[in-house]
Amino acid sequence: GLLGNPSTLANFMDIHIMDIAVSAVSISRWAVQMSFLIAYSRLHPDPTDLRDQAMLNTYKAVYIVEGESYGRSIGKACIWLFVMGFVLRSLSFLGLKYTNRSKQV
């Protein structure tokens, strides 16, 4: 499933080694958090329905880090996404370069 989903992400964040593993390999973990923080800080949602309030509280509990500003959390997510993209592209390049070298022109 989607690792950035708050219902599954909360389970992984309770176990330190799983937190590190998910943070290192899941692009959706950082992209969903960044999207939520930007939307929450700009839209200031105030749901009236109990179901929507419970969902917002779940999202806040998972994505808002206590004692950390939104800007810092968003910046950290941007850095992680950049690093993941760079590593993925670098490994893809190396894989393309060294796979089937004898058939390259």
Side-chain angles (χ1 to χ4, degrees):
L2 180 67
L3 291 178
N5 187 350
S7 61
T8 57
L9 189 60
N11 298 333
F12 294 125
M13 294 304 193
D14 291 339
I15 305 167
H16 185 66
I17 191 74
M18 289 300 294
D19 179 20
I20 293 170
V22 169
S23 295
V25 299
S26 175
I27 291 174
S28 62
R29 181 259 186 267
W30 296 105
V32 173
Q33 178 188 21
M34 185 173 60
S35 298
F36 172 76
L37 289 173
I38 290 171
Y40 183 76
S41 66
R42 292 188 181 169
L43 300 175
H44 306 290
D46 187 24
T48 55
D49 183 26
L50 288 177
R51 183 173 176 240
D52 292 340
Q53 288 176 357
M55 191 180 326
L56 178 63
N57 289 335
T58 301
Y59 277 54
K60 286 170 39 177
V62 172
Y63 293 132
I64 296 176
V65 178
E66 194 68 35
E68 192 170 280
S69 69
Y70 294 153
R72 182 175 167 88
S73 294
I74 292 169
K76 189 174 11 173
C78 287
I79 290 169
W80 271 100
L81 289 169
F82 174 80
V83 168
M84 285 182 195
F86 180 79
V87 168
L88 180 63
R89 283 166 180 81
S90 299
L91 293 175
S92 299
F93 172 76
L94 292 173
L96 289 171
K97 182 174 175 79
Y98 293 109
T99 302
N100 298 323
R101 286 183 74 183
S102 61
K103 296 178 185 175
Q104 292 181 2
V105 178

